[in-house]
């Protein structure tokens, strides 16, 4: 994993949290990531508030985030979210 951040280079599994208000989308993203070795979905959230709670609790390596769902304005404006997990990449979908 040449392009991975240093904290991921030593790990064989990348733990992900999926954040989307639609259960069917979360399931599809989960299936996609878990079909590839090296990824494991460790949690899911339905909105921005849950996303913050899950990220703090689970400390994932990656967050996959839908920006068009409820309560995302709060998530985007939260200075605490980046402060708690500054090295965690967030993929916006």
């Amino acid at each position: 994993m040449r392009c991975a951040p240093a904290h991921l280079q030593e790990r064989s599994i990348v733990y992900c949290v999926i954040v989307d208000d639609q259960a069917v989308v979360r399931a599809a993203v989960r299936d996609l990531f878990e079909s590839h070795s090296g990824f494991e979905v460790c949690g899911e959230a339905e909105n921005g508030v849950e996303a913050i709670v899950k990220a703090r609790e689970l400390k994932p390596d990656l967050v996959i985030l839908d920006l068009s769902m409820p309560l995302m304005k709060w998530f985007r404006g939260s200075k605490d979210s980046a402060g708690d997990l500054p090295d965690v990449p967030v993929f916006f979908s």
Side-chain angles (χ1 to χ4, degrees), residues 30-74:
R30 174 185 283 274
D31 289 346
L32 176 69
F33 273 83
E34 290 187 341
S35 70
H36 296 281
S37 63
F39 288 96
E40 183 175 322
V41 176
C42 62
E44 298 180 9
E46 292 184 26
N47 59 52
V49 174
E50 280 187 30
I52 296 290
V53 171
K54 290 286 184 178
R56 287 178 178 162
E57 174 189 336
L58 301 171
K59 300 190 181 0
D61 300 310
L62 175 66
V63 176
I64 299 98
L65 186 65
D66 174 17
L67 284 179
S68 65
M69 66 184 174
L71 301 176
M72 284 313 302
K73 189 174 190 178
W74 184 85

